[in-house]
């Protein structure tokens, strides 16, 4: 019967299978978007809205440029990028760079630099070199972000107190005491209230926890400032978001400085985006990021953002982690969050005029401090890289970001070379014999210490020489051989354990060196 049934309507069954499977798949995808991605996109939108405004203000850029970047990063970056759950947009880590570019070139040329940097990112992605960016020492990246965070917090502290921030961190530090004495009290109250709400929101009840803390803080403080008789400065908008759209200017000289700006934006946005993508992959069980595609997506976002008057774009961990924690499953969440920002900006951008400047300053102070993560400091201390971490932070804060990163990288490379070429040589008596330990990379650079320690061993002593090196060159091998022969000639005895083959990296055991060489 089964065979007869199959012969009766084989074509119908076959076509049914072919036609229904894609339909069912599309229905399942739609259900996933509605159930998981739609709610997640709303959460990310609520997180991105105040952060995008604050980052634009901290960058001294037009306020609505932050919303433009959030829209483009969500829609373009979400659709093209290789990390489906990573959210792209204006990043706190770029505020110092953008502020410097605007101060030097103006806003229109900064948009040109952003667009050209995007082209560079696309070319790098097509060249398939994205993974090379991960070779940058993590301690330098962490210190760079921490330095940026401290710079943001220092600048915005002046705004919270009712003053104006300066481009020089040293000037901000020197003038801070006077700014505290002459603080504008209503603004201080509102700014501190934002900070208190954001800090306290970590312990919010489970039912309220999904609501983003930054949004709660800004809305509550804005309502308080409107209801109560607070005379404070508020955010000023120049028209609607349609008025904020503008084409970049074409430079007419100073191409060297423009090129440096392009390279800086390209490197920082690329490295931050790729490192954020790697960190995002650790938060979910889905497929890993296609790094080269992600770089192309970031480049396309920056091309569009720069071309229409938006801030530079990069992958951001705060919004990405919020997206994953909210239950996002596909890139639809990232794309939808961009559309929500667009829908808000068109009719409701006027509401931004009611936000007190001190409130966003308080928000940015918290965001800046969060870039200084205790876990990164602890890791730097454990790995012996705290000096690199500290020097990079100081250089980023008091020089500039590019110089700080270069200094950090040079110091990290120097530290790595030092660790590679440095051999540890120790000698001490144990019971009735001497124990000598040689570890690390034993090369000619270690000869002064090696010979000094070996000659400190008494004549006619029984010596157990432990060699646990990663590399042993000819000069070090010859020095140990000569010392061993001299010590043997004076009545001593040397027993060698471990590696003793020039250029060899495997472990083996040998007895007396002379006997081994004679055999």
């Amino acid at each position: 019967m089964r065979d007869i049934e199959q012969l009766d309507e084989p074509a119908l069954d076959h076509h049914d299978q072919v036609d229904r499977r894609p339909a069912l798949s599309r229905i399942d995808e739609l259900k996933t978007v509605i159930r998981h991605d739609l709610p997640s996109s709303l959460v990310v939108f609520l997180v991105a809205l105040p952060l995008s405004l604050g980052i634009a203000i901290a960058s001294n850029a037009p306020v609505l440029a932050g919303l433009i970047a959030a829209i483009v990063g969500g829609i373009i970056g979400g659709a093209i990028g290789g990390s489906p759950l990573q959210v792209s947009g204006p990043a706190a880590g770029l505020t110092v760079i953008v502020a410097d570019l605007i101060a030097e070139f103006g806003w229109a040329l900064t948009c040109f630099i952003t667009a050209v940097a995007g082209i560079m990112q696309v070319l790098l992605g097509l060249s398939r070199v994205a993974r090379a960016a991960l070779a940058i020492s993590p301690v330098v990246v962490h210190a760079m972000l921490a330095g940026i965070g401290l710079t943001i917090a220092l600048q915005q502290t002046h705004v919270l107190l009712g003053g104006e921030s300066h481009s020089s961190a040293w000037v901000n530090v020197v003038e801070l005491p006077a700014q505290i004495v002459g603080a504008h009290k209503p603004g201080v109250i509102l700014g501190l209230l934002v900070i208190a709400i954001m800090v306290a929101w970590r312990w919010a009840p489970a039912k309220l926890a999904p609501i983003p803390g930054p949004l709660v803080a800004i809305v509550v403080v804005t309502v308080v400032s409107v209801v109560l008789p607070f005379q404070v400065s508020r955010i000023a908008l120049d028209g609607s978001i349609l008025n904020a759209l503008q084409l970049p200017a074409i430079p007419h000289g100073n191409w060297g400085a423009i090129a440096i700006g392009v390279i800086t934006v390209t490197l920082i946005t690329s490295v931050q985006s790729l490192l954020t993508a790697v960190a995002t992959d650790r938060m979910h069980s889905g497929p890993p990021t296609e790094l080269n595609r992600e770089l192309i997506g970031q480049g396309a976002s920056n091309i569009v953002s720069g071309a229409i008057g938006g801030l530079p774009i990069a992958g951001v961990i705060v919004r990405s982690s919020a997206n994953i924690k909210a239950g996002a499953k596909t890139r639809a969440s990232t794309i939808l969050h961009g559309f929500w920002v667009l829908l808000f900006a068109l009719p409701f951008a006027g509401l931004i005029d009611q936000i007190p400047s001190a409130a966003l300053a308080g928000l940015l102070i918290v965001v800046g401090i969060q870039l200084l993560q205790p876990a990164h400091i602890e890791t730097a201390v454990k790995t012996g890289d705290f000096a690199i971490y500290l020097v990079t932070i100081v250089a980023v804060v008091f020089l500039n970001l590019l110089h700080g990163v270069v200094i950090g990288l040079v110091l990290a490379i120097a530290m790595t070379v030092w660790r590679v070429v440095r051999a540890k040589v120790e000698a001490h008596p144990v019971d009735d014999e001497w124990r000598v330990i040689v570890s690390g990379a034993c090369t000619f650079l270690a000869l002064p210490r090696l010979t000094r320690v070996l000659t400190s061993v008494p004549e006619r002593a029984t010596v157990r020489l432990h060699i646990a090196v990663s590399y042993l060159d000819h000069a070090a091998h010859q020095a140990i051989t000569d010392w061993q022969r001299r010590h043997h000639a004076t009545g001593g005895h040397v027993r060698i354990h471990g590696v003793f083959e020039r250029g060899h990296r495997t472990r083996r055991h040998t007895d007396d060196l002379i006997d081994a060489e004679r055999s």
Side-chain angles (χ1 to χ4, degrees):
M1 289 296 292
R2 182 176 299 175
D3 293 340
I4 295 174
E5 289 173 357
Q6 289 177 351
L7 289 172
D8 285 341
E9 296 179 333
L12 180 60
D13 288 345
H14 174 71
H15 286 300
D16 282 350
Q17 290 177 0
V18 172
D19 291 339
R20 286 174 184 172
R21 284 178 184 174
L24 290 175
S25 177
R26 286 193 292 269
I27 292 174
D28 290 339
E29 290 177 359
L30 183 60
K31 288 181 179 178
T32 299
V33 170
I34 295 175
R35 181 178 178 182
H36 298 285
D37 296 319
L38 180 60
S40 300
S41 68
L42 292 171
V43 172
V44 179
F45 156 67
L46 296 175
V47 173
L49 187 62
L51 290 179
S52 300
L53 296 173
I55 290 169
I57 292 173
S59 304
N60 295 327
V63 176
L64 294 177
L67 296 184
I68 293 173
I71 295 167
V72 173
I75 299 174
I76 304 297
I80 301 177
S83 180
L85 300 184
Q86 175 169 268
V87 180
S88 300
L94 297 171
T95 54
V96 175
I97 301 172
V98 176
D100 289 342
L101 291 176
I102 294 174
E104 184 175 359
F105 302 111
W107 173 238
L109 278 181
T110 299
C111 292
F112 172 83
I113 291 172
T114 299
V116 176
I119 296 174
M120 296 294 294
Q121 286 182 293
V122 171
L123 294 177
L124 290 174
L126 294 175
S127 301
R128 308 189 68 80
V129 298
R131 195 166 295 277
L134 303 180
I136 296 178
S137 174
V139 69
V140 175
V141 177
H142 296 159
M144 176 195 75
L145 294 175
I148 291 171
L150 289 175
T151 302
I152 293 172
L154 186 59
Q155 290 176 342
Q156 294 305 309
T157 298
H158 282 269
V159 178
L160 186 148
L161 295 171
E164 294 184 358
S165 63
H166 301 275
S167 58
S168 169
W170 179 250
V171 175
N172 284 327
V173 171
V174 172
E175 294 189 358
L176 189 57
Q179 189 70 67
I180 294 175
V181 173
H184 182 250
K185 293 181 180 179
V188 173
I189 293 172
L190 295 176
L192 292 179
L193 182 57
V194 167
I195 295 174
I197 292 174
M198 290 187 65
V199 172
W201 203 251
R202 297 179 179 179
W203 297 278
K207 293 182 178 180
L208 299 178
I211 304 175
L215 180 72
V216 174
I218 294 298
V219 170
V220 169
V221 171
T222 301
V223 171
V224 169
S225 70
V226 173
V227 173
L228 299 180
F230 279 96
Q231 299 297 324
V232 293
S233 61
R234 303 181 187 273
I235 297 175
L237 294 181
D238 296 328
S240 67
I241 193 168
L242 297 178
N243 300 126
L245 299 177
Q246 67 173 69
L247 295 175
I250 304 299
H252 299 287
N254 202 12
W255 288 101
I258 293 288
I260 292 175
V262 170
I263 293 172
T264 301
V265 173
T266 302
L267 292 179
I268 300 302
T269 53
S270 300
V271 170
Q272 179 170 336
S273 298
L274 294 176
L275 291 177
T276 301
V278 172
T280 301
D281 286 345
R282 300 191 185 116
M283 299 179 187
H284 65 85
S285 57
T289 298
E290 299 176 37
L291 295 180
N292 290 297
R293 178 180 171 180
E294 178 62 23
L295 202 54
I296 294 173
Q298 295 294 333
S301 299
N302 277 310
I303 292 172
V304 175
S305 184
I308 63 176
L311 287 171
I313 291 171
V316 281
I317 192 65
V318 174
R319 276 156 271 182
S320 299
S321 61
N323 190 37
I324 294 171
K325 290 178 182 178
K329 300 298 181 183
T330 71
R331 63 179 71 245
S333 175
T334 301
I335 298 172
L336 284 173
H337 116 272
F339 278 109
W340 302 143
V341 177
L342 176 61
L343 291 176
F344 170 85
L346 288 174
F348 300 115
L351 295 176
I352 297 172
D353 284 331
Q354 301 299 319
I355 301 176
S357 300
L360 277 183
L363 169 66
L364 288 169
I365 290 173
V366 175
V367 172
I369 296 299
Q370 286 177 342
L371 293 177
L372 187 68
Q373 297 188 22
H376 293 163
I377 300 175
E378 184 179 355
T379 301
V381 172
K382 287 182 178 179
T383 57
D385 292 330
F386 185 70
I388 300 173
Y389 186 85
L390 188 60
V391 170
T392 304
I393 287 178
V394 172
V396 168
V397 172
F398 291 102
L399 295 178
N400 58 52
L401 188 139
L402 182 60
H403 290 163
V405 170
V406 170
I407 291 172
L409 288 176
V410 170
L411 187 57
I413 293 171
M415 187 72 75
T416 301
V417 172
W418 169 251
R419 288 169 178 167
V420 169
V421 304
R422 179 176 177 266
K424 183 180 180 180
V425 187
E426 296 178 343
H428 51 272
V430 178
D431 297 330
D432 57 346
E433 66 179 16
W434 276 73
R435 182 170 298 172
V436 179
I437 301 174
V438 181
S439 60
C442 197
T443 67
F444 67 94
L445 297 173
L447 288 182
R449 177 169 176 77
L450 177 65
T451 56
R452 184 176 71 252
V453 172
L454 292 177
T455 55
S456 68
V457 177
E459 295 180 353
R460 294 184 294 279
T462 298
V463 180
R464 188 180 296 273
L465 177 58
H466 294 269
I467 300 180
V469 296
S470 57
Y471 183 78
L472 185 72
D473 76 349
H474 174 79
H477 181 278
Q478 188 65 45
I480 296 174
T481 301
D482 293 342
W483 167 81
Q484 199 277 340
R485 283 178 174 155
R486 289 194 301 269
H487 190 76
H488 187 84
T490 59
H493 179 73
V494 178
R495 188 175 182 83
I496 298 178
H497 296 266
V499 176
F500 200 67
E501 206 173 302
R502 285 165 288 186
H504 207 278
R505 293 176 174 82
T506 59
R507 300 188 62 83
R508 68 184 179 92
H509 294 278
T510 61
D511 288 330
D512 185 280
L513 174 61
I514 294 179
D515 295 335
E517 290 199 341
R518 285 176 181 172
S519 62

